[in-house]
Every structure is written in structure tokens, then in C-alpha cells.
Amino acid sequence: MYTPTRAEVADVFDGVGVLDFEDHEAALTHDREKAIAALDAFHRLYCEESLADMGIVPDRDMATGWARFESRTDGKRTVDSGDQPDHPAAFPVTWLYL
């Protein structure tokens, strides 16, 4: 299992990294309570609103899975959500769909 570095995430809250995308975010953990806390802290800091303010319902708007970084031909990287926990580059995520 791979552990993303601080430079690879948008921010870290209570030891949980958060990835930020246009239409969703991901907390780098399968621990539901830690994921909710990290994503809520991220939204409070960067969006000035809580998950509750946004009407987020964890059972509806969040899901656990696996992800990994993949290199692109232009030198940048993307995140693949290919749910392959046995892949050496895989790391746990809890997706938040906005």
C-alpha cells in the first residue's frame, strides 16, 4: 500500500490527507469518522461552510474505495479510482461526491 506525501495532497487535517477535485474530494482513509472530520475541516477552511451547511448526507454522498496516482504523458499525474487494493501504488480513500 502506498502512502501519499504531504506534497501530493491539498491539505492534511488530524493526520488525514485530502485530495481536491472539481466535483468531489477524497479523504485518504477508510475510517468513516476521520474522513468526515477531515472533509468537514477542509470545507470549513477553503469553502467557509461545513458539510452539514452543504446538505451532505454521508450515507448518500460518501463511499470508500481505493485509488492510485498515475503519470500522464505531459508529466502531470491523475488519480485513478480503479478499486485495486492489491496494487502496490493503491491507497485507501473515502470519496465525497458533491
Side-chain angles (χ1 to χ4, degrees), residues 16-32:
V16 178
V18 174
L19 298 175
D20 183 25
F21 305 97
E22 283 185 31
D23 59 350
H24 62 283
E25 280 94 36
L28 306 186
T29 181
H30 279 165
D31 182 308
R32 185 176 185 81

Side-chain angles (χ1 to χ4, degrees), residues 69-79:
F69 292 116
E70 291 196 343
S71 297
R72 298 185 338 191
T73 57
D74 64 2
K76 296 183 180 182
R77 296 194 313 164
T78 60
V79 175

Side-chain angles (χ1 to χ4, degrees), residues 4-86:
T5 66
R6 173 62 184 96
E8 294 173 314
V9 299
D11 211 331
V12 176
F13 299 92
D14 293 323
V16 178
V18 174
L19 298 175
D20 183 25
F21 305 97
E22 283 185 31
D23 59 350
H24 62 283
E25 280 94 36
L28 306 186
T29 181
H30 279 165
D31 182 308
R32 185 176 185 81
E33 297 304 315
K34 288 182 179 182
I36 291 169
L39 291 163
D40 190 55
F42 178 85
H43 276 270
R44 286 176 184 274
L45 179 63
Y46 292 102
C47 305
E48 298 181 357
E49 59 186 348
S50 70
L51 296 181
D53 294 339
M54 297 171 57
I56 297 297
V57 177
D59 287 339
R60 178 192 69 206
D61 301 318
M62 299 174 78
T64 58
W66 294 88
R68 65 179 185 271
F69 292 116
E70 291 196 343
S71 297
R72 298 185 338 191
T73 57
D74 64 2
K76 296 183 180 182
R77 296 194 313 164
T78 60
V79 175
D80 175 38
S81 60
D83 271 344
Q84 297 175 346
D86 295 332

